Structures are given as structure tokens and as C-alpha cells.
Amino acid sequence: MKSQKINDTFARMYRSSQYRIWLWILGFFTMLAVHIVYKTKKGKDAFAGMKEELRGQREMQDLKEQFFQDALVQVQKKNEYFKKTMSESEAQKQARAIADKNFEQLLNDKTKEQAEMQKVHEITLVSCYAELMQNPAFMAVSFVLSFPMYILMLLFMRPIAKYITERLFLMIFVLFGVTWLVFTILYIAPMDAAMNILGQTATPEQIANFNHIYGLDQPYLTQLFDTFKNLLTFDLGNAYQGNEPVMTAIMAKFPITMQVTFSSMVVALIIAVPAGIVSAIKPYSSFDYIAMFIALLGLSIPNFWLGLMLILEFSINMGWVPATFQPGNWVTLIMPAIVVGTGMSASIARMTRSSMLEVKNSDYVLTARAKGLAEKKVVLKHILGNALIPIVTMIGMSFGNLMGGAAVTEKVFNINGIGSYIVDKQFIPDIPVVLAGVVYISFVVSLMNLIVDILYAFIDPRIKSKMKNY
Amino acid sequence: MAKNAQTKNESLYLKKVNKRKLGGSLEFTTSRLAFQVTGVLALLLVLWQVLLPLVKGEEISTVIGIITAIYGLEFLVQFIIVKKIEKEITGTAGEISNITRKMGILLLPSVVTGNFLVFIAGAMLLKKEKNLEYQLAVYSLLVNIFVILISLFNLFKDTIVYTFWTGIGFYALYAVLNLVVIAAVSKYTFGKKPDKKFLPFAVICLLGIALGNVFSFMLGLIALGKYFNKNEEVSVEWIDVIKRLFRNYTAVIGMFFVVLFISISIGSNLTFDYDIAISNNFAARLAKPSLMYPFGCDDYGRCVFTRIIFGASISLIIGIISTIVPIIIGGLLGAMAGFYGGRKDNVIMRVLDVLHAVPSILLAIAIIAAFGVSTINLILALSVSMIPSYARTVRAQVMGISNQEFVEAAKACGAKNGTIIFKHIIPNSLAPVIVQATMGIGSAVLSTSSLSYLGIGVEAHVPEWGNVLKAGSTFLETNPYIAIFPGIAIIIIVLAFNFFGDGLRDALDPKLK
């Protein structure tokens, strides 16, 4: 039973050309053994014999000749129509090729038909594998030698796991692309970090020495390769300025940025979703007009200006909350969360309203009402539930903007997060800091997008069933 | 019981009918918004500028007191007129009486106090039959008056720039011409086709673009387009789009602000003194708002008002260029990906995925970190980060369109791929791109000011709004107005672009055609 499942998975994986490559890479020894067995057995089994026997038959030879004549007429007609002149031998060559192709196809089909009747199986690589797996010794050795292949198989068996793996795999390429892009931009930069740090009075020797210490005198490809390696091993060396290890600084600052981002997301959701729902239920009412005006206003207010105004009103004039952020003090988190959350809640509220309005007049909503469901259930389960996909997409998209725009808010509230770290260091430009900051933030954003895509499956059963057959 | 319910139903029905009648009347919608907004403004003025100082025991400045009183008066007049209109429309006559229409004259002078909503309400009330041309002419006049009014603030300054009166002269002359155009519009354009005598006026209108007056330019284009339209039975499509746009009052107000900012940034070259915006004047350091310096002065004694006016053109130029560039590049890439599909699509979209994975502000920061702080680099940075989103929009559109029959027909006729892309596919996939671009200009203005605030946008001495704000943020405790006013300017222009874009989305919606 279990071995049957393994064989099936193997067959399905072998069918796709991309997975075939991965089977060879991850399970080289097993594949090699299977391949050798397959090569030795091929052409010597009952199936091949049957095919040769059919080919030798008289009527099949006649059929081949007939195919050739048909193809010749076809080629001639075609030339006539397109007013093309072609030599006789050329036309015959073309016709022969067509005829051969057709004949092989027919032969294959016929053999298969006959084989099925006589219960003879064609030998393939997959069937060789199945046969070998019957042998417990081979199975054990194969499990030990090519366990990565079996891990891949395990992932392949579960559709959602397979989907996630494939997306993660693509993400790695995208992140390599991002690294390459940002590195190249910084590499071709006319800005000279050595000059900026050592000052105008630096001698050429000092600059050369600086460049040597940080590996800036290496050729482009070496530097690029080192960057990849450093990012993967989380060892980014020291920053040019201050000489602190970049990774420690980033590790200390990342959680702060994430804290601000997630709390503002919570604020945004608390404001936006109820406002959007009420606006959609009572469209063109006063509440709708006012809420949507405020939403548009929220989209148009610059974050830093709103931050400054809040500081002016609540910190300077009223003295309620401190103007700057202190880690661990949640009161100081309120204003940044509101500022960052405003823009986000505006777009989410607008999206909630429009996507709920779209499904509001569907037939199934009418049905739900007709069968006497409570209004609350109709709205929350049937309307909101079916309008959720665009809303979730919007949330995922705003997350990227949040992480990117964090730099500005962090500057306003003097938050010691990764955004303001990048901005501080970009004047030099401190290449490792800028690079690592951008790449790691892009990584988090991509991961968030992946999570949103997976969430679709849990929200929409149609997508889930599509994924099951994936 | 039953009878009661029936009357209740009837009254509900009547209410709905009345509501629809009122909603369809341009006079009522414009007047209602005018009285609401004027009311809110008057209330805010009373609360903050009159009551708050009274409570604190400070003196109320006479200028503010007069303005508050005038706004209160405008509110009252507008309120009475709204009630009258409502009564007359829902009443037996079903239309507005001539006496009420004459009252519209009372509303027109309010433009001097900057209350354009009341002015529009008055202009719409005065005339019984209004077509698109009339509305455009009114808005064009309004823009002109506003530019003159804003420029006239310079009279309170010690010195005025030597081209000041030339500039004012231009705008005043055009305002007079505009009045003539309004008269001509009511006389000649109410047929299916404008009269031949209107053509010289149309040419005058087209000239308005030199002053940045897009409304009058559109009026001229529409008149010419209608005149040269061969088949009178078929309406011109782009004129229909504008017509639908003008049914949405908030979108028109958004458009009004956009045009006003364009117009003022052209006019400011003549009527405003760039020296006041950039050169230091320590005598006026951190001056409080007054008639001479309406928004106060910053720490170098530069007039914030003048800086904001000059900032408009910088923001608009950066916003427009950094929207057009990604539209061209992203549009071409997206069109190619969507049209050819397969391998080309895959390669282009994977490359763009890389660009898309980096949050746009971060990419801009990285590019500016590499190439240094300058306006050109800022435009480059903003453009690059916007390419993927336009490419995606265009790709989705093109994929939908290239499967349609008319493209297949073009292919069957033997058209080249280039011809098909440029003549059939791009024009038909333009609508969502236009909407996205309109909103994109707004968000580009936002990004520009954010980056300037971080000190990595425009060069520090340039009076860009973010730079002005950055200077103000240092003096938040003592002189908050330096930071408040540029922020409001940013909000107004971004809001205007967003409203305009929203309206365009509705107007370009194919379902409405």
C-alpha cells in the first residue's frame, strides 16, 4: 500500500520535466541504479517483441506505403496553394517524414492496444523503479543514500506543501535577483564611501587601505559572490562607520520595526474593516460619505506630517504621551501605530467597501436572507466571507508599503528601527548596511505575500480544491 | 393600522422620489455642498480663532474677525437659498423659480473671500440650461480669479517683482475674455453643433493653456471636436467621458484644484518673487503669520507662502515626469509580455518580480544612496520603483484584449505585430492606466515630500514642500505653522488627484458606456 503510493508519486514527479531534474540531483544513486536496470532491460521485454512483430506484418507495410502516398498529395496541394515550387525529391523527403511520424504513432497505439489485451506492460523507467523497490534491500539502501529525494517526494504528496515549496524556491531566485540589483546599483555608484568617511584630507594610501580592508578593491564578481555568501551565512562583517558588526545591529533593530508594523496593522484592521462594512451595508448614506471622505483623506495625508501634528497636539500641547518611542513602553507605541495605520486603514476600508458592494447583490445573499438568517450572520458570513479575497490581498500589499515606509515614521518618532538605520547609513553609503537592510526587508515582504497566497486557500474553498489537484 | 402603514409607505416612496429629484439637480447638489462646507469652515473659525482666544483671554485679530463674519454671512445666504431650492423642486412647480435664480447673483461675490463652492453654486443657479461648455467656462473663470487673488497677496509685501503687473495684466485680460466666452457659450453652443461664430472663441480658449488653464483648453477642444465631427448622430467618445466626469461633483472639484495648481505654478513665474523664496532675510526670521507673510517665515526668514507657491511647480513636475517615464517603460514591457505570452512573458515578468519585491521607498533610498541627492536622481528612483505596477496593469489588460475578435481580425488582415500593438491594443487598454497614473501623480508627490523630509529627496535649498516641512519640524514647539501649511498644501494636491482619479475611474468605466 505504502510502496504503491511512493511509486505513484515517483511516476508523477518523473512526468514533469522540472521535477525530473530534481530527482536526478537529489536522488542520484537511486536514479543511476534504476537507469542502468532500465537500459539493460529495454528492448528485450515482451512489449518490444510485440511491436517488432506488428511492424513485420504485411498489412502494416501496405499501410505505410499508403501513408506515404497521402502525405505526398498533401505536400503537393500545399505547394500549389501557396504557389511554391519544390523539386520532386524534396517533396518526397517531406512526405516520407510525415508518413514515418504517422506510422510510428499508429504502431505505438496498436501495440499498446494489443499489450493491454494480453496484459503485458511496457517497460519504463518508472516501472523499473517500482520493480526495484519490491526488493527490501534496495529500498533500504535507496532510503539511506538518497533521502533528500524522499523528502521532496513527501512534500510532493501534499499539495499545499508542494505549492509552498515551489513558491519558496521561486522566492530564493527573486531574492538573489534583489541582492544582485541592489549590489550593482551600489557598485556602480559614483559615491565614494572611503572619501566620505576618511574626509577630504585622506591620502591615496589611506583610501587604498580602507578599500582593501572592506574588500572594495576586489573585482565585481568576487564582491558579488562574497555578498551572496555573507547574506546567506548572516555574517555581514562590520559597518564602515562605527565599525560595529552589521548583523548584531540589524538583529537588534528588526524586532522594533516589526513591532511597530504589526501594531499599526492591528490598528488599521480595527478601524478599517468595521468602517468598510458599515459603508457597504448602507451605501450613499451620510456615514458612507463621511467615512469614505476620511479614508481618501487618510490616503492623502503624508505620514510624517500626521506624525508631527500628533506630536504637536498630544505631546507638546497636551503632554499626554511622550513624543519619542521607548522600547518596552507601549504607551509610546500608540502614536506611531496610529500614524502608520491611518494610510493603511484608508486603503483597506475602501477595498472592503467596494468588494462587499460587489457581492452584496448576489443570489446567494438573497437566498441566505430568504431562509431567515439573522442579518448579522448574512453580513459577516455570506457577504464579508465572500468579499475577503481582495481585502486580504490589499492587506498583504500594504504590508510591503508599511515596511518600506517605516523609515519615514521611524525618523519622526525617533524609533531606533531598521528603516531609520538604513537612512542614517545611506549618506556614506555604507554598502553592507543598505544592502542587508533592503534584502532582509524584501525577504520579509515576500514571505508575507506568500502567506497571503496560502491564506487564499483557507478563505476560498474553490481555491483550496484547485490547490488539491495542483 | 393598515392605513397607517400605507401612508407610511407612501411617504417613504415620496421621500425617495424627492431625493432622486434633488440628486439630479445640479443647482441643489452644488448649493448643498457649498452650505455644508461653508458651515463647517465658519464653525471652525468661530471655535479656534474667536472662542479659543476668548477663553485664553487673548485678543482677536480684526482680520480674522472680519473673515469669520463674512463666512457666517455666506453660510446664512447659502442656507436660505438651499432651503428655497429644495422647497421649489419638491413642490408643485417642480422647478426653480426665476426669483430664486436671480438670487444666485448674491452668491457670486463670495469668490473674493476664496469660497469657490458658493461661487460655483451661484453660477450654476443663475443659468437655467447648463451644458458642459458652460460649466467649463465657469470653472475656467474661477481658476483665473483664484490665480489673480493669490497673486494679489504680494501687494502686502515691501517689494513686488517687476513683472508683477504684467502677470496680473495677462490673467485679468484673460478673465475678461473668459466672461465674453461665457456669454458666447450661452449664445452659440446649445445646439448639437456649435455655431460657426463660436470658432474664434474656441481659439481664444485653446490659448488658455499658455496660462495653465486646462478648463478653457478643454472647452476649446470640445467646441472644435464637436464642430468637426462629421457624423452628428454619433457623439464623440472622449467628449462623453468628460461629460460623465462632470456629473461627479467631487471629481470636478479635485480637477479644479489640479488645474489651479498647474495654473498658479505657471503664473507664479511672473507674479511671485523667487528671491523671497530662497534668499535669507534675517530681519524676518521666524516671523508670525501676517498679511505680509501669510504663512509666516522660516528660520532663514524666507516667506513660507512664496516657498509653497514655488513648491507647487516642483512637486507637479516631479510627480508628472516620474509617472510618465514608468508608464512608457512599464507599459511597453507589459504590452510585450501580455501580447507575446509564453517565454517572453515569463522572462519579463520574472525580472519585474525582482523589482516588485523591493518596497518602492526602499528602492528609491538605495538608488539615491548610490547616485547622491539630486532632483534627477529622485525622478529616476521614483520611476524605477513604479515600473512593475504599471507593467502588471498593462499586461493584464493586453492579455484580455489580445484574445478578442477584433485583434484576430487585424491579424487575419495581415497587420504587423507592431501595428496591432500600437493601433489596436494600447488604445483599448489605456483606461485603467490613465486612472492609475492620476492617482500615481498624487502618490509620487507624497513620496517626493517624504524623501525630502528624510533629506534624500530634492536638494535642500529648493523650496520643495517636503523641504519646507523639514525646516518647520525643527521649530514645531515654537512655530508650528511652518510645518502645518506645507502639509496642508500636500494634502490638498494629493486629495485633488485622488478625487479626480476616482471620478475618472467611474467616467471611463466601460459598463457605463
Side-chain angles (χ1 to χ4, degrees), chain A residues 66-311:
Chain A
Q66 198 193 325
F67 273 173
F68 174 65
Q69 293 302 339
D70 286 352
L72 198 61
V73 172
Q74 186 190 335
V75 170
Q76 276 162 354
K77 278 262 162 79
K78 187 173 152 196
N79 284 342
E80 206 173 294
Y81 184 80
F82 284 109
K83 299 192 178 72
K84 235 197 297 187
T85 49
M86 194 184 264
S87 70
E88 190 64 20
S89 62
E90 178 74 7
Q92 277 192 356
K93 209 171 134 195
Q94 269 190 22
R96 177 67 67 193
I98 296 171
D100 280 351
K101 207 175 119 202
N102 288 346
F103 179 70
E104 276 305 312
Q105 211 171 347
L106 184 84
L107 191 67
N108 245 340
D109 288 352
K110 279 217 154 158
T111 322
K112 265 191 192 152
E113 209 174 279
Q114 224 169 58
E116 204 151 320
M117 274 200 286
Q118 297 174 10
K119 300 227 159 53
V120 176
H121 290 290
E122 188 184 0
I123 280 239
T124 57
L125 196 129
V126 174
S127 68
C128 284
Y129 174 79
E131 204 175 300
L132 281 173
M133 283 301 271
Q134 307 247 309
N135 182 351
F138 176 82
M139 200 163 150
V141 172
S142 168
F143 276 153
V144 173
L145 279 181
S146 37
F147 65 93
M149 183 176 95
Y150 289 99
I151 293 174
L152 189 67
M153 272 191 188
L154 262 178
L155 291 174
F156 193 89
M157 274 184 224
R158 290 171 180 72
I160 290 183
K162 181 190 167 202
Y163 177 74
I164 294 173
T165 322
E166 282 177 6
R167 283 290 305 266
L168 280 173
F169 183 70
L170 271 184
M171 209 171 94
I172 292 170
F173 274 102
V174 169
L175 286 175
F176 271 121
V178 169
T179 315
W180 170 80
L181 177 78
V182 180
F183 176 80
T184 310
I185 289 173
L186 290 169
Y187 181 82
I188 58 174
M191 302 286 275
D192 192 357
M195 193 71 104
N196 282 337
I197 287 185
L198 301 174
Q200 296 292 326
T201 54
T203 59
E205 289 83 48
Q206 280 176 318
I207 290 179
N209 189 32
F210 178 90
N211 285 344
H212 180 70
I213 291 173
Y214 291 102
L216 293 176
D217 52 352
Q218 305 278 332
Y220 172 75
L221 282 177
T222 320
Q223 281 192 49
L224 181 63
F225 183 74
D226 281 346
T227 311
F228 282 144
K229 201 182 75 191
N230 293 348
L231 282 172
L232 284 176
T233 53
F234 297 105
D235 172 27
L236 293 155
N238 290 351
Y240 296 170
Q241 197 183 34
N243 220 17
E244 55 180 345
V246 175
M247 208 55 223
T248 350
I250 285 184
M251 277 304 171
K253 288 161 201 288
F254 223 95
I256 298 175
T257 302
M258 295 306 280
Q259 196 184 349
V260 176
T261 308
F262 276 107
S263 50
S264 48
M265 218 153 140
V266 171
V267 170
L269 288 180
I270 290 174
I271 301 173
V273 175
I277 291 175
V278 177
S279 286
I281 301 294
K282 289 191 166 50
Y284 311 110
S285 62
S286 308
F287 178 87
D288 179 32
Y289 279 123
I290 292 170
M292 285 306 119
F293 177 75
I294 291 174
L296 212 52
L297 198 66
L299 274 183
S300 316
I301 292 183
N303 266 350
F304 56 98
W305 186 78
L306 185 62
L308 288 175
M309 290 305 111
L310 288 187
I311 290 178

Side-chain angles (χ1 to χ4, degrees), chain A residues 170 173-175 177-178 181-182 185-186 188-191 284 293 296-297 299-305 308-309 311-312 316 350 400-401 403-405 407-408 411-412 419 422-423 426-427 429 434 437-438 441-442 445-446 449, chain B residues 19 350 353-363 365-373 439 446 449-451 453-456 466 469 472-473 476-477 480 483-488 490-491 494-496 498-499 502 505 511:
Chain A
L170 271 184
F173 274 102
V174 169
L175 286 175
V178 169
L181 177 78
V182 180
I185 289 173
L186 290 169
I188 58 174
M191 302 286 275
Y284 311 110
F293 177 75
L296 212 52
L297 198 66
L299 274 183
S300 316
I301 292 183
N303 266 350
F304 56 98
W305 186 78
L308 288 175
M309 290 305 111
I311 290 178
L312 175 66
I316 297 174
R350 278 161 63 90
N401 291 339
M403 292 293 288
V408 186
K411 274 281 161 201
V412 174
I422 297 175
V423 173
Q426 63 83 33
F427 289 102
V434 176
V438 173
I441 288 183
S442 307
V445 172
S446 305
N449 284 335
Chain B
K19 210 174 170 186
R350 289 298 84 75
D353 271 353
V354 170
L355 268 184
H356 189 73
V358 190
S360 57
I361 292 244
L362 274 187
L363 188 63
I365 290 176
I367 291 175
I368 290 164
F371 297 103
V373 175
M439 306 244 186
L446 268 185
S449 60
S450 302
L451 288 171
Y453 177 77
L454 292 177
I456 49 180
L469 231 165
S473 68
L476 200 59
E477 264 177 85
I484 292 176
F485 291 114
I488 291 175
I490 297 173
I491 294 176
V494 179
L495 200 61
N498 280 342
F499 270 132
D502 257 9
R505 190 203 313 270
K511 279 180 216 153

Side-chain angles (χ1 to χ4, degrees), chain B residues 51-342:
Chain B
L51 284 184
L52 204 67
L54 272 185
V55 172
K56 283 186 184 168
E58 290 166 14
E59 236 174 86
I60 307 160
S61 79
T62 42
V63 181
I64 299 273
I66 290 169
I67 291 177
T68 313
I70 291 175
Y71 266 78
L73 188 72
E74 278 169 11
F75 169 67
L76 271 180
V77 174
Q78 184 70 62
F79 184 71
I80 293 166
I81 288 178
V82 167
K83 285 295 153 203
K84 263 192 114 109
I85 294 174
E86 194 176 355
K87 211 168 133 195
E88 279 168 5
I89 287 184
T90 55
T92 44
E95 60 179 21
I96 301 162
S97 67
N98 280 337
I99 304 164
T100 319
R101 286 201 184 277
K102 291 269 158 57
M103 281 174 84
I105 296 177
L106 284 178
L107 299 175
L108 294 183
S110 63
V111 71
V112 181
T113 59
N115 197 336
F116 63 94
L117 289 170
V118 173
F119 174 82
I120 295 171
M124 294 303 142
L125 187 59
L126 266 178
K127 200 150 162 42
K128 195 172 175 191
E129 276 176 54
K130 297 166 286 282
N131 57 358
L132 181 59
E133 284 88 342
Y134 176 75
Q135 289 192 44
L136 279 169
V138 167
Y139 283 109
S140 153
L141 178 67
L142 189 60
V143 168
N144 256 316
I145 295 175
F146 257 67
V147 172
I148 294 173
L149 281 177
I150 294 173
S151 300
L152 282 180
F153 264 102
N154 276 323
L155 284 180
F156 294 113
K157 291 212 163 41
D158 293 336
T159 54
I160 48 173
V161 69
Y162 65 94
T163 50
F164 179 76
W165 290 113
T166 331
I168 293 284
F170 270 130
Y171 278 93
L173 179 71
Y174 200 73
V176 173
L177 281 177
N178 220 319
L179 277 174
V180 179
V181 166
I182 291 183
V185 158
S186 5
K187 206 166 177 190
Y188 297 129
T189 64
F190 276 90
K192 261 188 182 156
K193 209 173 190 181
D195 199 278
K196 200 176 178 188
K197 283 174 193 153
F198 189 71
L199 287 188
F201 295 106
V203 174
I204 292 176
C205 289
L206 285 180
L207 289 178
I209 195 73
L211 299 178
N213 199 329
V214 180
F215 281 120
S216 80
F217 183 68
M218 263 164 53
L219 170 56
L221 276 186
I222 288 173
L224 290 183
K226 271 189 180 170
Y227 186 77
F228 289 109
N229 185 18
K230 284 187 188 95
N231 188 353
E232 271 182 41
E233 300 307 316
V234 181
S235 56
V236 189
E237 199 177 310
W238 56 271
I239 294 179
D240 279 352
V241 170
I242 297 176
K243 234 181 221 161
R244 282 201 295 267
L245 181 68
F246 269 75
R247 262 183 234 150
N248 186 342
Y249 189 38
T250 46
V252 178
I253 291 175
M255 193 177 170
F256 163 69
F257 272 107
V258 171
V259 175
L260 177 64
F261 272 105
I262 294 174
S263 201
I264 196 87
S265 51
I266 291 176
S268 63
N269 291 322
L270 288 176
T271 54
F272 277 80
D273 195 351
Y274 195 59
D275 263 358
I276 299 177
I278 54 160
S279 58
N280 305 346
N281 172 18
F282 287 104
R285 188 171 185 270
L286 295 174
K288 290 243 181 300
S290 61
L291 277 178
M292 193 170 171
Y293 302 112
F295 295 164
C297 283
D298 65 2
D299 49 334
Y300 290 103
R302 299 172 294 198
C303 172
V304 173
F305 179 65
T306 316
R307 279 172 78 76
I308 290 177
I309 294 291
F310 281 107
S313 59
I314 296 162
S315 290
L316 278 176
I317 288 172
I318 293 178
I320 290 171
I321 295 180
S322 59
T323 308
I324 289 175
V325 172
I327 285 181
I328 293 172
I329 300 176
L332 274 180
L333 287 176
M336 262 165 64
F339 184 72
Y340 291 111

Side-chain angles (χ1 to χ4, degrees), chain B residues 31-53:
Chain B
S31 301
R32 187 180 51 183
L33 192 72
F35 105 78
Q36 285 168 344
V37 172
T38 315
V40 171
L41 277 178
L43 199 68
L44 285 180
L45 276 173
V46 167
L47 278 180
W48 271 346
Q49 301 295 345
V50 181
L51 284 184
L52 204 67

